């Protein structure tokens, strides 16, 4: 079943166009969203969260259009964005106390377990955290309300290799519960480790939105790693 | 909306917003433009907007399971809570001055505006203008607040100046009533101020919500 369906998402900026982006996310699958800096990953994700307004296109979650069902849909999804600090001078505990009031599905036990797993001190404020710990703090909030879809913007950037490995393993466990995970990254080894599907964006256009196996068949040369395949594809796009 | 109001108070608000409610007590001051108390309360609310912008509050709120329009409305409701608290304080001081302190020589010799229902009506009007000029103006960009705030300062001090001096204009002496003198007129002016506040705040709510919905964050 498609948890998220995006069709012809278009947003024009001076000098950049997100051009008719279409893909879908399925329950119980991890989708890696890959593209170089400025390719349109964050614009796509922001559109998916109604933070920016696409010029045209349709975004559906759970069979419902985002427009008109925003509050209901957002209760069922979790979102985390890299190293942004929300309320840098407030304690993590205070931010949590506010957040949990918005979600009927907030799970304190899960929150506590992720708090321990990420080794976060809830009496600290985001400004006291390193970049990697900020990423973990944002993930903590996204994971604590039993979301059916997780949209994660660069969740592994800034993390040390051990934490990254732990997180990717956690993604594997979460998807077993039928959660759709969509994460953007420019670290190709993350995709290699855990993605079932790949959405590859370049210069605002979707180059491929297919399973990892199909991607390997279609784009990966013999004896070529996924990273080498991406680099080759990206060079070809640049030269085109 | 209750949750959004809670979020405003617990995470976004500057403590100055609460402390500056106390400027409502300026209604006690003789020989001083008492409507400046409204301006200082608005300055307290302004601090919360500044706080919120620094803390990425608008993006955080827009990601919560509420509609984007409700995020802007939450800010207006928070401001109204502070404003109504300041107005309540002003109303209490006004009643004390109209009753227990009605014959106090220090107030009888007051060259400026008395704390009477007309003054309270003007306070309602000023808060309403703050909501429309500053809050709705801020949400046009959801980022820039200098221009709407400076515009509000200019408008507010022009109105404060006119209101404080109005009773010197022949025929307008009744505006500066002591105690319960000219009470029906005074109550009428208070009601007019209240109506202005409701209309201006409603416009602010509508415009802020519509602008924020259209804003790319």
């Amino acid at each position: 079943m498609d948890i998220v369906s995006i069709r012809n998402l278009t947003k024009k900026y001076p000098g950049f166009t997100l051009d008719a982006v279409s893909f879908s996310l399925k329950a119980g699958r991890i989708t890696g969203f890959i593209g170089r800096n400025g390719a349109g990953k964050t614009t796509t994700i922001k559109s998916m969260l109604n933070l920016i307004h696409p010029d045209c296109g349709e975004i559906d979650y759970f069979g419902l259009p985002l427009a008109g069902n925003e509050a209901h849909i957002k209760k069922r999804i979790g979102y985390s964005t890299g190293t942004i600090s929300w309320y840098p001078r407030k304690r993590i505990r205070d931010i949590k106390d506010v957040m949990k009031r918005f979600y009927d599905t907030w799970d304190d036990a899960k929150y506590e377990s992720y708090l321990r797993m990420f080794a976060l001190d809830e009496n600290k404020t985001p400004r006291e955290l390193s970049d990697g710990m900020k990423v973990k703090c944002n993930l903590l909030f996204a994971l604590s309300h039993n979301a059916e879809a997780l949209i994660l913007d660069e969740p592994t950037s800034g993390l040390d290799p051990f934490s990254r490995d732990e997180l990717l393993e956690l993604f594997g466990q979460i998807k077993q519960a039928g959660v759709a995970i969509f994460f953007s990254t420019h670290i190709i080894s993350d995709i290699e480790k855990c993605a079932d599907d790949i959405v590859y964006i370049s210069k605002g256009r979707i180059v491929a939105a297919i399973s990892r196996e199909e991607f390997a068949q279609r784009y990966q040369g013999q004896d070529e790693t996924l990273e080498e395949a991406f680099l080759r594809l990206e060079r070809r796009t640049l030269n085109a | 909306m209750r949750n959004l109001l809670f979020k405003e108070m617990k995470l976004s608000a500057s403590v100055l917003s609460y402390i500056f409610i106390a400027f409502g007590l300026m209604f006690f001051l003789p020989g001083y433009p008492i409507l400046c108390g409204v301006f200082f309360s608005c300055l307290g609310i302004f601090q919360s907007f500044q706080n919120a912008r620094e803390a990425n509050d608008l993006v955080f709120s827009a990601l919560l399971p509420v509609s984007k329009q409700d995020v802007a409305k939450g800010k207006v409701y928070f401001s109204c809570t502070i404003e109504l608290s300041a107005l309540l304080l002003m109303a209490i001081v006004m009643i004390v001055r109209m009753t227990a302190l009605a014959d106090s020589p220090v107030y009888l010799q007051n060259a400026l505006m008395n704390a009477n229902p007309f003054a309270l009506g003007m306070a309602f009007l000023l808060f309403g203008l703050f909501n429309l000029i500053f809050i709705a103006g801020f949400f046009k960009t959801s980022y820039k607040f200098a221009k709407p705030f400076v515009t509000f300062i200019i408008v507010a001090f022009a109105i404060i100046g006119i209101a404080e001096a109005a009773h010197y204009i022949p025929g307008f002496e009744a505006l500066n009533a002591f105690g319960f003198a000219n009470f029906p007129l005074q109550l009428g002016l208070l009601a007019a101020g209240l109506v202005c506040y409701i209309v201006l705040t409603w416009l602010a709510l509508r415009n802020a919500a519509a602008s924020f919905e259209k804003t790319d964050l």
Side-chain angles (χ1 to χ4, degrees):
Chain A
M1 178 204 165
D2 283 352
I3 295 272
V4 185
S5 163
I6 290 162
R7 293 178 298 279
N8 295 318
L9 192 67
T10 302
K11 174 82 178 172
K12 285 190 177 124
Y13 290 109
F16 174 77
T17 302
L18 192 71
D19 194 1
V21 163
S22 300
F23 60 87
S24 58
L25 308 179
K26 291 185 172 47
R29 289 185 75 83
I30 300 174
T31 305
F33 188 30
I34 193 144
R36 61 187 299 168
N37 297 334
K41 298 192 298 290
T42 300
T43 306
T44 305
I45 288 179
K46 281 187 167 183
S47 303
M48 289 169 76
L49 296 161
N50 199 29
L51 292 181
I52 61 172
H53 290 266
D55 300 326
C56 63
E58 289 158 47
I59 302 167
D60 293 349
Y61 285 84
F62 317 107
L64 299 167
L66 179 60
N69 297 290
E70 196 181 344
H72 169 75
I73 286 169
K74 282 183 184 167
K75 271 195 181 180
R76 297 171 68 182
I77 62 174
Y79 170 71
S80 158
T81 177
T83 56
I84 280 192
S85 295
W86 311 119
Y87 309 103
R89 290 171 192 276
K90 298 284 178 188
R91 289 181 310 173
I92 294 171
R93 177 203 302 227
D94 295 330
I95 301 173
K96 181 261 297 187
D97 286 343
V98 170
M99 271 195 103
K100 66 185 282 189
R101 296 170 74 103
F102 287 87
Y103 296 96
D104 337 317
T105 49
W106 185 272
D107 189 334
D108 272 326
K110 258 191 186 159
Y111 169 81
E112 296 292 340
S113 90
Y114 288 127
L115 200 64
R116 278 193 300 275
M117 180 179 165
F118 295 148
L120 278 162
D121 176 359
E122 63 172 356
N123 291 313
K124 279 196 171 175
T125 61
R127 67 189 281 267
E128 294 169 322
L129 303 177
S130 66
D131 277 358
M133 293 305 269
K134 276 178 197 161
V135 172
K136 288 181 181 178
C137 178
N138 289 340
L139 281 167
L140 170 74
F141 294 137
L143 295 170
S144 300
H145 63 89
N146 291 313
E148 294 163 64
L150 289 172
I151 298 168
L152 312 171
D153 195 3
E154 313 238 344
T156 53
S157 64
L159 294 190
D160 63 76
F162 304 104
S163 302
R164 240 172 66 208
D165 206 49
E166 243 173 32
L167 183 67
L168 297 176
E169 218 169 89
L170 175 67
F171 285 177
Q173 290 164 24
I174 293 171
K175 83 163 185 178
Q176 300 301 327
V179 175
I181 302 176
F182 180 66
F183 75 102
S184 72
T185 184
H186 48 255
I187 306 169
I188 292 159
S189 61
D190 291 350
I191 302 253
E192 240 163 355
K193 261 185 197 155
C194 72
D196 301 305
D197 298 312
I198 292 175
V199 176
Y200 170 36
I201 188 167
S202 183
K203 287 184 168 176
R205 285 187 180 183
I206 298 293
V207 178
I210 46 182
S211 72
R212 195 174 58 175
E213 293 76 23
E214 207 181 331
F215 189 92
Q217 276 173 18
R218 243 195 250 183
Y219 298 103
Q220 225 170 317
Q222 221 178 4
D223 301 328
E224 199 177 37
T225 63
L226 196 58
E227 181 151 1
E228 286 164 344
F230 273 118
L231 290 173
R232 182 174 45 77
L233 287 170
E234 197 57 33
R235 275 191 213 109
R236 201 173 65 188
T237 319
L238 276 177
N239 295 333
Chain B
M1 197 46 75
R2 214 174 49 186
N3 288 339
L4 273 172
L5 201 54
F6 181 77
K7 185 228 46 151
E8 289 296 326
M9 291 180 167
K10 185 124 191 203
L11 296 178
S12 323
S14 160
V15 69
L16 289 179
S17 293
Y18 303 115
I19 294 173
F20 281 20
I21 290 172
F23 278 108
L25 291 172
M26 284 177 78
F27 261 42
F28 265 132
L29 297 181
Y32 188 88
I34 54 174
L35 285 175
C36 286
V38 176
F39 171 74
F40 290 123
S41 295
C42 292
L43 191 61
I45 299 169
F46 171 78
Q47 290 296 328
S48 284
F49 276 78
Q50 205 165 10
N51 239 18
R53 196 181 72 170
E54 284 164 10
N56 293 312
D57 166 76
L58 284 178
V59 179
F60 175 87
S61 307
L63 290 168
L64 290 171
V66 290
S67 74
K68 218 169 146 190
Q69 296 211 9
D70 280 347
V71 172
K73 286 180 187 171
K75 292 254 174 249
V76 179
Y77 290 139
F78 167 74
S79 303
C80 288
T81 307
I82 300 292
E83 289 160 5
L84 292 173
S85 305
L87 283 161
L88 178 67
L89 195 58
M90 289 169 187
I92 292 167
V93 176
M94 177 195 78
I95 290 165
V96 172
R97 276 185 64 169
M98 286 170 68
T99 52
L101 302 174
D103 300 321
S104 169
V106 76
Y107 291 127
L108 290 171
Q109 291 158 13
N110 183 19
L112 290 167
M113 188 181 213
N114 281 323
N116 56 24
F118 168 62
L120 194 62
M122 290 308 292
F124 269 111
L125 172 67
L126 287 167
F127 277 126
L129 286 167
F130 174 77
N131 294 341
L132 185 63
I133 298 171
F134 175 69
I135 301 181
F138 167 76
F139 276 108
K140 278 183 187 165
T141 58
S142 302
Y143 183 76
K144 293 178 182 169
F145 46 54
K147 191 176 157 190
F149 195 61
V150 170
T151 309
F152 168 69
I153 291 171
I154 294 166
V155 172
F157 279 99
I159 290 176
I160 290 171
I162 292 166
E164 293 283 348
H167 63 273
Y168 287 112
I169 300 167
F172 288 87
E173 294 84 356
L175 294 180
N176 206 31
F178 286 91
F180 288 88
N182 299 306
F183 200 54
L185 171 72
Q186 288 282 329
L187 277 186
L189 292 168
L190 171 60
L194 177 63
V195 169
C196 287
Y197 178 75
I198 292 168
V199 171
L200 293 169
T201 303
W202 176 77
L203 286 171
L205 203 64
R206 195 192 64 171
N207 295 356
S211 299
F212 190 53
E213 178 64 51
K214 282 187 246 161
T215 305
D216 284 347
L217 292 170

